[in-house]
Amino acid sequence: MLKGGRPNAIRDCRMRMPMFDEIKISGQSLALASDAEVSALEATLGCSFPPGYGEFVTTFGEGEINWLVRVFPPWRILDGGDGLENFVQWRQRINEYWFWEGIDKQHAIQSIMLGDTANGDQLCFHPDEPTAIHVLPRDRDCAMFVGSSIMELIRWLLASGELIEVEDKALVFRPFDSRHQ
């Protein structure tokens, strides 16, 4: 069992979740994460990721939804020569430029960034609470709880109107691979 209480069997026996069926793929070939990469990410960081994360990055990979929302694959979360460069840099940046209310600063610094928006909003969760995804908005001083799963996060960002105005409600995923750009 991984830290955070999620049995390995849940991750290893993933089946396609109907909630992702509404996302259509447009564009080039997918840059998919493997189950092994998701497992290694969770082992390296010592926690489970939010529900739907593993399936999302193994089904869609790296890219963006409606040109606005990016859920990072394992290599974007870790990166760097020692495997933790992006992870450590994000925590340092959050500590240095902290201005949000609505979430404890130390709680946020201990969090893991799992994506962002094209507007610069940061999407994160605390390792002890993988079912509590928050956004640290670029243009607001109040952190917001946005869902307990990857699909709830995506729906909230695209439908709430709180941070992003979206005219086309159809969910379109456009893949890219940051490792080759």
Side-chain angles (χ1 to χ4, degrees):
M1 185 168 308
L2 295 173
K3 181 179 173 188
R6 189 170 85 175
N8 289 335
I10 292 175
R11 183 185 60 251
D12 295 338
C13 295
R14 254 184 233 124
M15 296 187 327
R16 183 150 168 79
M17 299 169 97
M19 71 176 82
F20 291 133
D21 287 344
E22 64 190 88
I23 301 174
K24 305 302 176 211
I25 299 171
S26 171
Q28 63 235 21
S29 61
L30 300 174
L32 300 176
S34 67
D35 283 329
E37 288 173 308
V38 173
S39 295
L41 174 67
E42 291 180 330
T44 298
L45 299 180
C47 68
S48 296
F49 270 59
Y53 172 81
E55 187 192 359
F56 186 89
V57 297
T58 58
T59 302
F60 299 101
E62 185 172 24
E64 55 195 6
I65 297 176
N66 292 26
W67 301 103
L68 298 167
V69 180
R70 294 181 286 255
V71 175
F72 295 158
W75 57 87
R76 284 286 301 272
I77 292 171
L78 296 177
D79 201 46
D82 66 359
L84 294 171
E85 186 175 319
N86 280 349
F87 177 72
V88 170
Q89 287 176 354
W90 181 76
R91 285 184 167 181
Q92 290 170 341
R93 189 172 60 249
I94 292 299
N95 185 44
E96 185 175 343
Y97 298 105
W98 183 260
F99 65 90
W100 296 276
E101 298 174 3
I103 188 172
D104 178 70
K105 179 179 180 180
Q106 287 306 313
H107 190 82
I109 290 170
Q110 295 167 356
S111 292
I112 298 168
M113 181 177 168
L114 64 96
D116 66 5
T117 69
N119 295 340
D121 308 305
Q122 310 288 295
L123 314 173
C124 64
F125 73 98
H126 191 278
D128 292 338
E129 300 177 280
T131 58
I133 304 171
H134 289 84
V135 62
L136 303 176
R138 184 190 75 171
D139 293 330
R140 293 191 186 175
D141 62 3
C142 189
M144 296 177 235
F145 169 77
V146 294
S148 60
S149 70
I150 294 301
M151 198 64 209
E152 284 181 18
L153 162 72
I154 292 166
R155 284 188 182 128
W156 187 90
L157 285 168
L158 297 175
S160 72
E162 288 288 325
L163 300 174
I164 301 169
E165 291 295 325
V166 178
E167 294 188 23
D168 185 1
K169 300 299 183 193
L171 300 179
V172 179
F173 181 82
R174 291 172 183 82
F176 63 81
D177 191 340
S178 63
R179 297 171 293 185
H180 303 293
Q181 293 182 354

